[in-house]
Every structure is written in structure tokens, then in C-alpha cells.
Amino acid sequence: MRFWDASALIPLCLQEQQTGLLKKLAQEDEAIVAWWGSPVECLSALARLRREDALSTAEEEQAQTVLRALMTAWTEVEPSGLVREQAGRVLRLHPLRAADALQLAAALVWCQGDPVHHTFICLDQRLREAARREGFHILPRKS
């Protein structure tokens, strides 16, 4: 099982530069763990791409269909007081936005505060660095 940030889930839903690599990672370990708020972050990204004319309405709808399919199969970290506490802690330690702090907090709750032998899949550089500093193994590897 690996924790997937929303930034890594989007390329599973539509064709992007990192899609092939991320699909390979998903096939290696089909047990995706994601934060409860990830679908909202993904829908926001898809809507932004459509508004910017980077996606057609049909492509957005297809990506939403793929997202819904992923959601039925993944393990979801639910909102809790512990996630909120962890988010507050990581905000004090790392230069993260609130949504990214919640992602990292959910991953920390998932691994029960012991990230050393757990993997965090993410494309956002600032969040990757924070997760690395917390002790997670980060994928995909940067060349």
C-alpha cells in the first residue's frame, strides 16, 4: 500500500506527461491510499484545466469517470481530530498550503506516525520535500 497525493492521482485520470510512470506505479501495487479530500482537489484541478481550455468538457467528464472508479477501489483516510492535529503540526514545520498539510497529515495518520517504511506518491515539489523530511519514501523518483 502506498499513499497517493491528489497531484499524483490526476495523471491516472487523464493523459499527462507523468501518466505512464504513475500508471506503472499503480499497477505495481494496486492498493491506493488517499485522503478523504483528494476527490475534491482532483475535481478542482480538472475544472481548472477545462476553464483554461486544456481539457474539453468530454475529456473532463471522462477523467471524472476514471476518478470515480479509482475512488471505489482505494482506501480512504477519513477526517478526524488526529488528522487535524497532524495538519497543524506539519504547518508549523513545513512551508505547506492547508490542503497539502491535510494530505501529509492523512498519510501520517495512515502509517500511524511511522513513515520510515511507507511510500508517499506525489508530484508537488514542496509537498514531496515535506513528506521526505517526515521520513516517507518518495515516488516517483526525480532524475
Side-chain angles (χ1 to χ4, degrees):
M1 271 189 156
R2 298 169 173 167
F3 187 91
W4 288 66
D5 171 58
S7 67
L9 293 168
I10 290 291
L12 296 178
C13 299
L14 52 87
Q15 189 61 43
E16 291 189 336
Q17 181 179 354
Q18 297 284 347
T19 295
L21 176 59
L22 289 166
K23 283 186 175 182
K24 183 175 184 251
L25 290 174
Q27 290 167 351
E28 288 173 3
D29 179 9
E30 295 178 10
I32 292 174
V33 178
W35 161 237
W36 170 87
S38 290
V40 176
E41 287 188 72
C42 291
L43 291 172
S44 173
L46 294 171
R48 179 183 47 78
L49 289 169
R50 181 193 30 81
R51 285 190 305 270
E52 294 172 351
D53 291 324
L55 280 184
S56 68
T57 301
E59 290 168 326
E60 179 186 21
E61 289 171 359
Q62 176 60 34
Q64 290 173 352
T65 299
V66 174
L67 177 61
R68 284 191 296 275
L70 288 171
M71 289 171 59
T72 64
W74 73 37
T75 299
E76 195 164 272
V77 179
E78 298 286 334
S80 67
L82 186 53
V83 171
R84 186 173 42 235
E85 288 171 23
Q86 285 293 325
R89 183 186 72 76
V90 299
L91 283 169
R92 288 188 299 279
L93 296 174
H94 308 288
L96 297 173
R97 297 175 295 270
D100 290 341
L102 287 165
Q103 288 280 351
L104 183 52
L108 287 164
V109 168
W110 162 67
C111 72
Q112 299 176 331
D114 186 17
V116 174
H117 299 291
H118 292 86
T119 300
F120 191 93
I121 300 178
C122 178
L123 298 179
D124 179 272
Q125 192 54 45
R126 190 179 345 192
L127 183 52
R128 287 171 62 88
E129 179 58 21
R132 185 196 62 74
R133 288 176 50 203
E134 288 289 328
F136 284 99
H137 174 70
I138 308 301
L139 290 176
R141 289 181 181 87
K142 296 290 182 174
S143 45

